Structure formats: C-alpha cells, structure tokens
Amino acid sequence: MGKNETFEMELLFRALADRTRLRLLNLMGDDELCVCFFVEILRTNQPKISRHLAYLRRAGVVSARREGKWMHYRIVEPPDEHAARIFSEVRQWLREDLPMQRDRERLVKVCCAPQQPVQLRGAPRPLSLTA
Amino acid sequence: MGKNETFEMELLFRALADRTRLRLLNLMGDDELCVCFFVEILRTNQPKISRHLAYLRRAGVVSARREGKWMHYRIVEPPDEHAARIFSEVRQWLREDLPMQRDRERLVKVCCAPQQPVQLRGAPRPLSLTA
DNA sequence: CTAATATATTCGCCTGAGCGAATGTGAGCG
DNA sequence: CGCTCACATTCGCTCAGGCGAATATATTAG
C-alpha cells in the first residue's frame, strides 16, 4: 500500500494496447512458445513478430529463453499484485474471445499435423501439446 | 462466452495507457467531477484536460453531464464483465498509488478551503465532499 | 443584443510506434 | 573456415496522438 507505480501501470497498458501483442500473449497461454509458431499462426512476416516480442520483453511482460537456434517466449507473472490480477483477467478475457480461440485452434492443428509446414520442420513443439 | 471483443480490449487499454488520463480517472473516483477541478488539481492548461476527457469519452470509459456552464465527468461501468473487473482493479491500484493519493488530497483541500481559488468561485463542488 | 465564463476544438509541431524491406547476429553443421 | 537457419535489429516511411497556442462554442449575466 502507498506505492508509486503509475509508470508501471502505463507500461503495462501500453503493452496490452495492441492487437498483435494480445494475439501473441494469447498463444503463449501458460507455456513457452517458439517464435516460428507465432509467425506461422499470425500469418505475418517474422520481423514484425520479433519487434512485438521485443516490445513485450521491454515492458517486462514476457521472458525469452534460447534453445539452440530457437527462442522461446513465455508470460512473466507480474510482481505487483494488482498487475497480476489485471493480467490474469486479461488472459481469461482472451480465452473467451472468438478470434483468439481460432488462433489457439490453429496452433493445435499445426503442431499436431502429421506433416508440418516446411518452416516448422524440426521446431520444438509446445510442451502442452506434445505431452 | 465466445464473444469477439478484441477491439474493445485495445480501446480500453489505449485509454488507460496515459498518465494524465489515469490521474483524471483517479480524481473521478466514484463521483462525477467538474472540469474546472481537474484543471486546478493537475495544474495544467484547460485544453489539455478537455482533450484527454474527450479521449476517455470516445473510448466509452467516462460520460459527461452538462449543468449550466459546467461539465461533469464520471466513470462509466463497462458493460463487459471482464472489462469491469479490470477497471475495478485499476481503480483499486490507483487508490494505493502515492502520487494519486496526493492528487485526491489536494482535491479535498481545494474543495473544503474556506476561500476557493479564483478560478473555482461558484463551481459546483463534488457531492462526496460536500455531503 | 453584448460580454463574460466554462469548456471544446483546431492548428502546427514533434515524438512514439507500427509497417515492410533490408540487413545484422548467433548457433549449428560440414 | 563458410554456409544455413532462426531470429533480431535497422531503415525509411507513415500515422496516431501528445503538446501549447489560438480559436470556436455554449451558457449565463446584464
């Protein structure tokens, strides 16, 4: 109580104020996800994805982990309890949004397909879908 | 469930992604407030305040009511339940933020002062402080 | 009617940030 | 070493939106 977090609030909301970034967060869900899947699901060019992921990273909203050539991104639980509750509500909201549901369905399809698209051969699949 | 509200999410977060607008929402609290008080408390020029209030109005976050020469703004409860919960959490967060607390204290002082500043003579005081 | 007051809008300037295209970088392989 | 792959960054452009200054509008007073 009595903290000064106005700047942190602005930072969080700016990070959430973009459709592409909301789609990325939606795809991460509760697991880390490889960049190549974001590119595949959002059907856009790779630099655009990387730029938005960098934006989220600078805002402290996601973290990155390298595994050989691949980079995995995952959502970071905000340290502040208010931010955490807002974030949790956002994720619930995303779960109920139709276009977001379609993105997640496409992710499942792409990951579980017997024959993966050329760009994804050998890419590390998300844990939640392979376990 | 299963709705498409991605655009509404973006709209909400863009509205919240600015320090001046957060300060305005903080001052509104649970009551409507007259524009002249925003100008007085934020110690800034009036057009800036009006522009941010217009932004909030376009985003559906506040509503305006005219009373003679004066305009009162108040927070609108978002119709969507997720938006409402996020908004409620934001207001709680604002309540605990130190700079925001100072703004509210200054509002109380200005409203309850025996001699109001010249700009505020005759301005309708917020209900919560006069009742 | 005119004048004053409270608020809103417009204008010109500047920065942040989104975009596609091109280029840079780090890891693994032969 | 050099090549490729996965990803990151930079460049040039465009546009949203923040700012102060000036102006417009609405209401009330006289």
PDB file of all heavy atoms in Angstrom, chain D residues 4-15:
ATOM      1  P    DT D   4      24.124 -21.426 -48.320  1.00  0.00           P
ATOM      2  OP1  DT D   4      23.649 -22.049 -49.563  1.00  0.00           O
ATOM      3  OP2  DT D   4      24.249 -19.945 -48.204  1.00  0.00           O
ATOM      4  O5'  DT D   4      23.199 -21.923 -47.106  1.00  0.00           O
ATOM      5  C5'  DT D   4      23.361 -23.251 -46.596  1.00  0.00           C
ATOM      6  C4'  DT D   4      22.535 -23.391 -45.328  1.00  0.00           C
ATOM      7  O4'  DT D   4      23.274 -22.868 -44.194  1.00  0.00           O
ATOM      8  C3'  DT D   4      21.211 -22.634 -45.362  1.00  0.00           C
ATOM      9  O3'  DT D   4      20.183 -23.475 -44.879  1.00  0.00           O
ATOM     10  C2'  DT D   4      21.443 -21.442 -44.462  1.00  0.00           C
ATOM     11  C1'  DT D   4      22.425 -22.020 -43.440  1.00  0.00           C
ATOM     12  N1   DT D   4      23.290 -21.021 -42.755  1.00  0.00           N
ATOM     13  C2   DT D   4      23.516 -21.165 -41.410  1.00  0.00           C
ATOM     14  O2   DT D   4      23.047 -22.058 -40.736  1.00  0.00           O
ATOM     15  N3   DT D   4      24.342 -20.206 -40.865  1.00  0.00           N
ATOM     16  C4   DT D   4      24.935 -19.137 -41.529  1.00  0.00           C
ATOM     17  O4   DT D   4      25.649 -18.345 -40.937  1.00  0.00           O
ATOM     18  C5   DT D   4      24.649 -19.047 -42.931  1.00  0.00           C
ATOM     19  C7   DT D   4      25.226 -17.943 -43.744  1.00  0.00           C
ATOM     20  C6   DT D   4      23.844 -19.985 -43.478  1.00  0.00           C
ATOM     21  P    DC D   5      18.633 -23.047 -45.069  1.00  0.00           P
ATOM     22  OP1  DC D   5      17.965 -24.149 -45.793  1.00  0.00           O
ATOM     23  OP2  DC D   5      18.559 -21.658 -45.580  1.00  0.00           O
ATOM     24  O5'  DC D   5      18.086 -23.037 -43.569  1.00  0.00           O
ATOM     25  C5'  DC D   5      18.582 -23.988 -42.625  1.00  0.00           C
ATOM     26  C4'  DC D   5      18.342 -23.469 -41.219  1.00  0.00           C
ATOM     27  O4'  DC D   5      19.371 -22.531 -40.863  1.00  0.00           O
ATOM     28  C3'  DC D   5      17.006 -22.740 -41.053  1.00  0.00           C
ATOM     29  O3'  DC D   5      16.362 -23.236 -39.900  1.00  0.00           O
ATOM     30  C2'  DC D   5      17.398 -21.275 -40.915  1.00  0.00           C
ATOM     31  C1'  DC D   5      18.788 -21.385 -40.296  1.00  0.00           C
ATOM     32  N1   DC D   5      19.691 -20.248 -40.597  1.00  0.00           N
ATOM     33  C2   DC D   5      20.526 -19.745 -39.590  1.00  0.00           C
ATOM     34  O2   DC D   5      20.483 -20.245 -38.468  1.00  0.00           O
ATOM     35  N3   DC D   5      21.359 -18.705 -39.870  1.00  0.00           N
ATOM     36  C4   DC D   5      21.369 -18.189 -41.097  1.00  0.00           C
ATOM     37  N4   DC D   5      22.209 -17.181 -41.331  1.00  0.00           N
ATOM     38  C5   DC D   5      20.526 -18.694 -42.142  1.00  0.00           C
ATOM     39  C6   DC D   5      19.712 -19.716 -41.847  1.00  0.00           C
ATOM     40  P    DA D   6      14.847 -22.788 -39.605  1.00  0.00           P
ATOM     41  OP1  DA D   6      14.139 -23.973 -39.056  1.00  0.00           O
ATOM     42  OP2  DA D   6      14.317 -22.054 -40.762  1.00  0.00           O
ATOM     43  O5'  DA D   6      15.040 -21.743 -38.408  1.00  0.00           O
ATOM     44  C5'  DA D   6      15.515 -22.194 -37.148  1.00  0.00           C
ATOM     45  C4'  DA D   6      15.618 -21.022 -36.202  1.00  0.00           C
ATOM     46  O4'  DA D   6      16.649 -20.137 -36.674  1.00  0.00           O
ATOM     47  C3'  DA D   6      14.341 -20.185 -36.104  1.00  0.00           C
ATOM     48  O3'  DA D   6      14.058 -19.947 -34.739  1.00  0.00           O
ATOM     49  C2'  DA D   6      14.674 -18.906 -36.861  1.00  0.00           C
ATOM     50  C1'  DA D   6      16.179 -18.813 -36.693  1.00  0.00           C
ATOM     51  N9   DA D   6      16.856 -18.134 -37.794  1.00  0.00           N
ATOM     52  C8   DA D   6      16.572 -18.225 -39.129  1.00  0.00           C
ATOM     53  N7   DA D   6      17.353 -17.494 -39.894  1.00  0.00           N
ATOM     54  C5   DA D   6      18.213 -16.879 -39.000  1.00  0.00           C
ATOM     55  C6   DA D   6      19.279 -15.981 -39.172  1.00  0.00           C
ATOM     56  N6   DA D   6      19.671 -15.525 -40.367  1.00  0.00           N
ATOM     57  N1   DA D   6      19.935 -15.565 -38.067  1.00  0.00           N
ATOM     58  C2   DA D   6      19.538 -16.028 -36.870  1.00  0.00           C
ATOM     59  N3   DA D   6      18.550 -16.877 -36.587  1.00  0.00           N
ATOM     60  C4   DA D   6      17.925 -17.272 -37.707  1.00  0.00           C
ATOM     61  P    DC D   7      12.733 -19.193 -34.331  1.00  0.00           P
ATOM     62  OP1  DC D   7      12.335 -19.678 -33.009  1.00  0.00           O
ATOM     63  OP2  DC D   7      11.782 -19.227 -35.456  1.00  0.00           O
ATOM     64  O5'  DC D   7      13.298 -17.722 -34.156  1.00  0.00           O
ATOM     65  C5'  DC D   7      14.348 -17.518 -33.223  1.00  0.00           C
ATOM     66  C4'  DC D   7      15.019 -16.200 -33.474  1.00  0.00           C
ATOM     67  O4'  DC D   7      15.463 -16.101 -34.827  1.00  0.00           O
ATOM     68  C3'  DC D   7      14.143 -14.974 -33.270  1.00  0.00           C
ATOM     69  O3'  DC D   7      14.442 -14.442 -31.987  1.00  0.00           O
ATOM     70  C2'  DC D   7      14.528 -14.027 -34.407  1.00  0.00           C
ATOM     71  C1'  DC D   7      15.715 -14.737 -35.050  1.00  0.00           C
ATOM     72  N1   DC D   7      15.875 -14.520 -36.506  1.00  0.00           N
ATOM     73  C2   DC D   7      16.936 -13.751 -36.957  1.00  0.00           C
ATOM     74  O2   DC D   7      17.716 -13.252 -36.132  1.00  0.00           O
ATOM     75  N3   DC D   7      17.084 -13.551 -38.285  1.00  0.00           N
ATOM     76  C4   DC D   7      16.231 -14.107 -39.147  1.00  0.00           C
ATOM     77  N4   DC D   7      16.421 -13.888 -40.456  1.00  0.00           N
ATOM     78  C5   DC D   7      15.145 -14.902 -38.708  1.00  0.00           C
ATOM     79  C6   DC D   7      14.986 -15.091 -37.396  1.00  0.00           C
ATOM     80  P    DA D   8      13.890 -13.037 -31.511  1.00  0.00           P
ATOM     81  OP1  DA D   8      13.958 -13.036 -30.043  1.00  0.00           O
ATOM     82  OP2  DA D   8      12.622 -12.805 -32.200  1.00  0.00           O
ATOM     83  O5'  DA D   8      14.958 -11.998 -32.059  1.00  0.00           O
ATOM     84  C5'  DA D   8      16.310 -12.110 -31.661  1.00  0.00           C
ATOM     85  C4'  DA D   8      17.094 -10.879 -32.091  1.00  0.00           C
ATOM     86  O4'  DA D   8      17.253 -10.897 -33.527  1.00  0.00           O
ATOM     87  C3'  DA D   8      16.437  -9.552 -31.746  1.00  0.00           C
ATOM     88  O3'  DA D   8      17.421  -8.715 -31.175  1.00  0.00           O
ATOM     89  C2'  DA D   8      15.919  -9.012 -33.076  1.00  0.00           C
ATOM     90  C1'  DA D   8      16.850  -9.661 -34.081  1.00  0.00           C
ATOM     91  N9   DA D   8      16.232  -9.978 -35.370  1.00  0.00           N
ATOM     92  C8   DA D   8      15.141 -10.774 -35.594  1.00  0.00           C
ATOM     93  N7   DA D   8      14.835 -10.902 -36.856  1.00  0.00           N
ATOM     94  C5   DA D   8      15.786 -10.148 -37.519  1.00  0.00           C
ATOM     95  C6   DA D   8      16.012  -9.875 -38.879  1.00  0.00           C
ATOM     96  N6   DA D   8      15.253 -10.370 -39.859  1.00  0.00           N
ATOM     97  N1   DA D   8      17.052  -9.071 -39.190  1.00  0.00           N
ATOM     98  C2   DA D   8      17.816  -8.587 -38.196  1.00  0.00           C
ATOM     99  N3   DA D   8      17.702  -8.769 -36.884  1.00  0.00           N
ATOM    100  C4   DA D   8      16.661  -9.570 -36.609  1.00  0.00           C
ATOM    101  P    DT D   9      17.036  -7.259 -30.646  1.00  0.00           P
ATOM    102  OP1  DT D   9      17.917  -6.978 -29.509  1.00  0.00           O
ATOM    103  OP2  DT D   9      15.567  -7.174 -30.515  1.00  0.00           O
ATOM    104  O5'  DT D   9      17.475  -6.314 -31.853  1.00  0.00           O
ATOM    105  C5'  DT D   9      18.770  -6.474 -32.416  1.00  0.00           C
ATOM    106  C4'  DT D   9      18.908  -5.587 -33.627  1.00  0.00           C
ATOM    107  O4'  DT D   9      18.154  -6.141 -34.712  1.00  0.00           O
ATOM    108  C3'  DT D   9      18.396  -4.149 -33.439  1.00  0.00           C
ATOM    109  O3'  DT D   9      19.490  -3.282 -33.646  1.00  0.00           O
ATOM    110  C2'  DT D   9      17.317  -3.985 -34.501  1.00  0.00           C
ATOM    111  C1'  DT D   9      17.662  -5.076 -35.491  1.00  0.00           C
ATOM    112  N1   DT D   9      16.532  -5.641 -36.273  1.00  0.00           N
ATOM    113  C2   DT D   9      16.525  -5.523 -37.645  1.00  0.00           C
ATOM    114  O2   DT D   9      17.399  -4.965 -38.262  1.00  0.00           O
ATOM    115  N3   DT D   9      15.446  -6.096 -38.269  1.00  0.00           N
ATOM    116  C4   DT D   9      14.401  -6.766 -37.666  1.00  0.00           C
ATOM    117  O4   DT D   9      13.489  -7.243 -38.330  1.00  0.00           O
ATOM    118  C5   DT D   9      14.457  -6.860 -36.236  1.00  0.00           C
ATOM    119  C7   DT D   9      13.376  -7.562 -35.486  1.00  0.00           C
ATOM    120  C6   DT D   9      15.508  -6.302 -35.614  1.00  0.00           C
ATOM    121  P    DT D  10      19.281  -1.703 -33.591  1.00  0.00           P
ATOM    122  OP1  DT D  10      20.512  -1.137 -33.055  1.00  0.00           O
ATOM    123  OP2  DT D  10      17.983  -1.407 -32.941  1.00  0.00           O
ATOM    124  O5'  DT D  10      19.172  -1.320 -35.137  1.00  0.00           O
ATOM    125  C5'  DT D  10      20.136  -1.843 -36.048  1.00  0.00           C
ATOM    126  C4'  DT D  10      19.858  -1.316 -37.447  1.00  0.00           C
ATOM    127  O4'  DT D  10      18.757  -2.039 -38.030  1.00  0.00           O
ATOM    128  C3'  DT D  10      19.473   0.165 -37.499  1.00  0.00           C
ATOM    129  O3'  DT D  10      20.175   0.761 -38.591  1.00  0.00           O
ATOM    130  C2'  DT D  10      17.973   0.147 -37.732  1.00  0.00           C
ATOM    131  C1'  DT D  10      17.813  -1.130 -38.545  1.00  0.00           C
ATOM    132  N1   DT D  10      16.487  -1.806 -38.457  1.00  0.00           N
ATOM    133  C2   DT D  10      15.858  -2.172 -39.621  1.00  0.00           C
ATOM    134  O2   DT D  10      16.319  -1.974 -40.722  1.00  0.00           O
ATOM    135  N3   DT D  10      14.665  -2.816 -39.438  1.00  0.00           N
ATOM    136  C4   DT D  10      14.053  -3.105 -38.233  1.00  0.00           C
ATOM    137  O4   DT D  10      12.972  -3.690 -38.204  1.00  0.00           O
ATOM    138  C5   DT D  10      14.758  -2.673 -37.053  1.00  0.00           C
ATOM    139  C7   DT D  10      14.172  -2.928 -35.703  1.00  0.00           C
ATOM    140  C6   DT D  10      15.937  -2.054 -37.217  1.00  0.00           C
ATOM    141  P    DC D  11      20.023   2.355 -38.862  1.00  0.00           P
ATOM    142  OP1  DC D  11      21.341   2.827 -39.324  1.00  0.00           O
ATOM    143  OP2  DC D  11      19.359   2.998 -37.703  1.00  0.00           O
ATOM    144  O5'  DC D  11      19.014   2.389 -40.096  1.00  0.00           O
ATOM    145  C5'  DC D  11      19.308   1.615 -41.260  1.00  0.00           C
ATOM    146  C4'  DC D  11      18.324   1.966 -42.360  1.00  0.00           C
ATOM    147  O4'  DC D  11      17.137   1.147 -42.209  1.00  0.00           O
ATOM    148  C3'  DC D  11      17.848   3.415 -42.350  1.00  0.00           C
ATOM    149  O3'  DC D  11      17.749   3.910 -43.680  1.00  0.00           O
ATOM    150  C2'  DC D  11      16.492   3.342 -41.694  1.00  0.00           C
ATOM    151  C1'  DC D  11      15.997   1.967 -42.137  1.00  0.00           C
ATOM    152  N1   DC D  11      15.041   1.339 -41.187  1.00  0.00           N
ATOM    153  C2   DC D  11      13.960   0.613 -41.687  1.00  0.00           C
ATOM    154  O2   DC D  11      13.811   0.515 -42.907  1.00  0.00           O
ATOM    155  N3   DC D  11      13.095   0.038 -40.820  1.00  0.00           N
ATOM    156  C4   DC D  11      13.291   0.165 -39.500  1.00  0.00           C
ATOM    157  N4   DC D  11      12.423  -0.415 -38.673  1.00  0.00           N
ATOM    158  C5   DC D  11      14.400   0.904 -38.974  1.00  0.00           C
ATOM    159  C6   DC D  11      15.242   1.470 -39.847  1.00  0.00           C
ATOM    160  P    DG D  12      17.633   5.544 -43.879  1.00  0.00           P
ATOM    161  OP1  DG D  12      18.774   5.950 -44.719  1.00  0.00           O
ATOM    162  OP2  DG D  12      17.421   6.172 -42.555  1.00  0.00           O
ATOM    163  O5'  DG D  12      16.297   5.697 -44.730  1.00  0.00           O
ATOM    164  C5'  DG D  12      15.830   4.641 -45.577  1.00  0.00           C
ATOM    165  C4'  DG D  12      14.347   4.812 -45.819  1.00  0.00           C
ATOM    166  O4'  DG D  12      13.604   4.044 -44.834  1.00  0.00           O
ATOM    167  C3'  DG D  12      13.825   6.247 -45.710  1.00  0.00           C
ATOM    168  O3'  DG D  12      12.900   6.488 -46.758  1.00  0.00           O
ATOM    169  C2'  DG D  12      13.178   6.294 -44.329  1.00  0.00           C
ATOM    170  C1'  DG D  12      12.653   4.864 -44.203  1.00  0.00           C
ATOM    171  N9   DG D  12      12.499   4.390 -42.829  1.00  0.00           N
ATOM    172  C8   DG D  12      13.270   4.736 -41.739  1.00  0.00           C
ATOM    173  N7   DG D  12      12.888   4.149 -40.638  1.00  0.00           N
ATOM    174  C5   DG D  12      11.799   3.367 -41.016  1.00  0.00           C
ATOM    175  C6   DG D  12      10.975   2.502 -40.261  1.00  0.00           C
ATOM    176  O6   DG D  12      11.046   2.246 -39.055  1.00  0.00           O
ATOM    177  N1   DG D  12       9.994   1.904 -41.047  1.00  0.00           N
ATOM    178  C2   DG D  12       9.828   2.119 -42.398  1.00  0.00           C
ATOM    179  N2   DG D  12       8.831   1.470 -42.982  1.00  0.00           N
ATOM    180  N3   DG D  12      10.587   2.914 -43.107  1.00  0.00           N
ATOM    181  C4   DG D  12      11.553   3.507 -42.362  1.00  0.00           C
ATOM    182  P    DC D  13      12.152   7.919 -46.889  1.00  0.00           P
ATOM    183  OP1  DC D  13      12.209   8.273 -48.327  1.00  0.00           O
ATOM    184  OP2  DC D  13      12.665   8.860 -45.870  1.00  0.00           O
ATOM    185  O5'  DC D  13      10.651   7.551 -46.537  1.00  0.00           O
ATOM    186  C5'  DC D  13      10.017   6.445 -47.183  1.00  0.00           C
ATOM    187  C4'  DC D  13       8.753   6.073 -46.452  1.00  0.00           C
ATOM    188  O4'  DC D  13       9.095   5.532 -45.163  1.00  0.00           O
ATOM    189  C3'  DC D  13       7.807   7.252 -46.191  1.00  0.00           C
ATOM    190  O3'  DC D  13       6.611   7.085 -46.927  1.00  0.00           O
ATOM    191  C2'  DC D  13       7.569   7.227 -44.686  1.00  0.00           C
ATOM    192  C1'  DC D  13       8.029   5.833 -44.283  1.00  0.00           C
ATOM    193  N1   DC D  13       8.539   5.763 -42.890  1.00  0.00           N
ATOM    194  C2   DC D  13       7.859   4.966 -41.955  1.00  0.00           C
ATOM    195  O2   DC D  13       6.854   4.345 -42.318  1.00  0.00           O
ATOM    196  N3   DC D  13       8.316   4.909 -40.691  1.00  0.00           N
ATOM    197  C4   DC D  13       9.395   5.601 -40.341  1.00  0.00           C
ATOM    198  N4   DC D  13       9.817   5.513 -39.076  1.00  0.00           N
ATOM    199  C5   DC D  13      10.112   6.414 -41.274  1.00  0.00           C
ATOM    200  C6   DC D  13       9.644   6.467 -42.532  1.00  0.00           C
ATOM    201  P    DT D  14       5.518   8.272 -46.949  1.00  0.00           P
ATOM    202  OP1  DT D  14       4.808   8.193 -48.235  1.00  0.00           O
ATOM    203  OP2  DT D  14       6.179   9.531 -46.514  1.00  0.00           O
ATOM    204  O5'  DT D  14       4.492   7.836 -45.806  1.00  0.00           O
ATOM    205  C5'  DT D  14       3.934   6.525 -45.801  1.00  0.00           C
ATOM    206  C4'  DT D  14       3.155   6.322 -44.507  1.00  0.00           C
ATOM    207  O4'  DT D  14       4.086   6.182 -43.415  1.00  0.00           O
ATOM    208  C3'  DT D  14       2.242   7.503 -44.157  1.00  0.00           C
ATOM    209  O3'  DT D  14       0.902   7.068 -44.096  1.00  0.00           O
ATOM    210  C2'  DT D  14       2.743   8.002 -42.813  1.00  0.00           C
ATOM    211  C1'  DT D  14       3.552   6.819 -42.287  1.00  0.00           C
ATOM    212  N1   DT D  14       4.699   7.209 -41.417  1.00  0.00           N
ATOM    213  C2   DT D  14       4.813   6.646 -40.175  1.00  0.00           C
ATOM    214  O2   DT D  14       4.019   5.843 -39.734  1.00  0.00           O
ATOM    215  N3   DT D  14       5.906   7.062 -39.453  1.00  0.00           N
ATOM    216  C4   DT D  14       6.862   7.973 -39.853  1.00  0.00           C
ATOM    217  O4   DT D  14       7.803   8.274 -39.130  1.00  0.00           O
ATOM    218  C5   DT D  14       6.681   8.516 -41.177  1.00  0.00           C
ATOM    219  C7   DT D  14       7.663   9.520 -41.702  1.00  0.00           C
ATOM    220  C6   DT D  14       5.620   8.122 -41.889  1.00  0.00           C
ATOM    221  P    DC D  15      -0.306   8.134 -43.892  1.00  0.00           P
ATOM    222  OP1  DC D  15      -1.375   7.771 -44.842  1.00  0.00           O
ATOM    223  OP2  DC D  15       0.270   9.501 -43.883  1.00  0.00           O
ATOM    224  O5'  DC D  15      -0.813   7.816 -42.419  1.00  0.00           O
ATOM    225  C5'  DC D  15      -0.735   6.491 -41.905  1.00  0.00           C
ATOM    226  C4'  DC D  15      -0.913   6.529 -40.405  1.00  0.00           C
ATOM    227  O4'  DC D  15       0.360   6.777 -39.766  1.00  0.00           O
ATOM    228  C3'  DC D  15      -1.850   7.639 -39.908  1.00  0.00           C
ATOM    229  O3'  DC D  15      -2.644   7.111 -38.865  1.00  0.00           O
ATOM    230  C2'  DC D  15      -0.889   8.715 -39.419  1.00  0.00           C
ATOM    231  C1'  DC D  15       0.226   7.840 -38.848  1.00  0.00           C
ATOM    232  N1   DC D  15       1.539   8.518 -38.715  1.00  0.00           N
ATOM    233  C2   DC D  15       2.356   8.225 -37.617  1.00  0.00           C
ATOM    234  O2   DC D  15       1.962   7.418 -36.786  1.00  0.00           O
ATOM    235  N3   DC D  15       3.552   8.847 -37.519  1.00  0.00           N
ATOM    236  C4   DC D  15       3.950   9.712 -38.444  1.00  0.00           C
ATOM    237  N4   DC D  15       5.129  10.289 -38.293  1.00  0.00           N
ATOM    238  C5   DC D  15       3.130  10.027 -39.570  1.00  0.00           C
ATOM    239  C6   DC D  15       1.950   9.411 -39.667  1.00  0.00           C
TER     240       DC D  15
END
